[in-house]
């Protein structure tokens, strides 16, 4: 079984090939046949009411095979909307052989929740995640452009790369985890482009996910 993960940050064409290596999160069961979404959020700032945004514009090869969302805004966070498609293509009708592609494309993400704690305003102008599958291989990739507040990333971006988000004095406010992968060992992939986990000094608990997809080899 061939598993390929590619990443590209900004305009830098960085390619990362990954198998069952270090930094991979184990899972007890197979990933879905094919899903994609723009992201989600669940966090609480101080004594304020919890912020909860369910998976945005999620599609699945079992249905709905396409989805879209306008701007979703809560206090401290905005997802600028986007689309998703999860398609199945029959490549051998006589033997019912198929391939799948699950993709989500988002825009104008902004996280301002850290600003009052002395942190940066995080913006991503555009981003996409996708996962393709055949009977013998799966391939996931992600890309984003126009990002501010996240600093400079290595090229290529390693699996599970952690970028500290700090105040000017170095106090840790959150961790931005890029290229987070789940590979159960059965050929399936789950890929989260970016997960932001808040640290105690931010006075925020919870996390934000930007761009997620998963797929499994086709039957």
């Amino acid at each position: 079984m061939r598993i390929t993960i590619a990443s590209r940050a900004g305009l830098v064409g960085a390619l990362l090939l990954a198998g069952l290596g270090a930094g991979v999160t184990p899972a007890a069961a197979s990933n879905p046949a094919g899903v994609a979404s723009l992201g989600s959020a669940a966090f609480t700032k101080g004594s304020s009411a919890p912020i909860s945004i369910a998976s945005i514009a999620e599609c699945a090869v079992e249905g709905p095979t396409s989805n879209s969302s306008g701007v979703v805004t809560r206090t401290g966070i905005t997802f600028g909307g986007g689309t998703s498609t999860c398609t199945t293509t029959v490549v051998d009708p006589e033997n019912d052989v198929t391939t799948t592609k699950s993709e989500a494309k988002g825009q104008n993400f902004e996280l301002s929740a850290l600003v009052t704690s002395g942190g940066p305003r995080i913006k991503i102008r555009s981003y996409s995640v996708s996962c393709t599958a055949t009977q013998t291989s799966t391939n996931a990739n992600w890309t984003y452009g126009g990002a501010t507040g996240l600093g400079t990333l290595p090229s290529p971006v390693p699996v599970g790369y952690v970028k500290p988000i700090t105040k000017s004095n170095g106090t840790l406010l959150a961790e931005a985890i890029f290229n987070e992968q789940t590979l159960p060992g059965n050929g399936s992939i789950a890929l989260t482009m970016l997960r932001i986990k808040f640290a105690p000094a931010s006075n925020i608990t919870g996390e934000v996910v930007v761009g997620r997809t998963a797929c499994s080899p086709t039957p």
Side-chain angles (χ1 to χ4, degrees):
M1 179 64 60
R2 180 171 62 86
I3 299 173
T4 304
I5 304 244
S7 62
R8 182 167 59 196
L11 300 178
V12 179
L15 180 64
L16 173 63
L17 301 181
L20 303 179
V24 173
T25 303
S30 174
N31 289 304
V35 296
S37 74
L38 300 178
S40 60
F43 64 88
T44 301
K45 186 171 184 176
S47 59
S48 301
I51 301 298
S52 180
I53 300 175
S55 188
I56 301 173
E58 184 169 275
C59 68
V61 294
E62 297 94 345
T65 56
S66 64
N67 214 333
S68 64
S69 174
V71 177
V72 177
T73 298
R74 302 285 189 273
T75 302
I77 188 171
T78 296
F79 286 88
T83 61
S84 67
T85 55
C86 292
T87 57
T88 300
T89 302
V90 179
V91 294
D92 182 352
E94 292 185 1
N95 295 295
D96 290 324
V97 178
T98 61
T99 62
T100 64
K101 181 175 182 179
S102 305
E103 183 175 34
K105 296 180 178 181
Q107 61 188 7
N108 298 330
F109 169 80
E110 180 174 335
L111 180 68
S112 59
L114 292 170
V115 173
T116 55
S117 300
R121 183 181 303 272
I122 296 171
K123 293 183 178 182
I124 301 176
R125 186 184 65 242
S126 62
Y127 63 95
S128 66
V129 292
S130 68
C131 197
T132 59
T134 69
Q135 286 186 319
T136 58
S137 67
T138 51
N139 184 338
N141 66 77
W142 59 276
T143 182
Y144 76 79
T148 57
L150 288 168
T152 302
L153 301 183
S155 178
V157 180
V159 177
Y161 177 74
V162 178
K163 178 73 174 181
I165 300 174
T166 65
K167 298 172 64 171
S168 58
N169 65 3
T171 301
L172 180 68
L173 298 176
E175 290 183 335
I177 306 169
F178 290 88
N179 198 22
E180 188 178 68
Q181 305 170 18
T182 302
L183 307 175
N186 56 9
S188 66
I189 300 176
L191 170 67
T192 298
M193 184 190 83
L194 171 61
R195 185 186 304 274
I196 299 173
K197 299 177 69 173
F198 298 104
S202 69
N203 197 32
I204 306 173
T205 58
E207 65 178 25
V208 174
V209 168
V210 184
R212 190 176 188 281
T213 187
C215 62
S216 298
T218 57

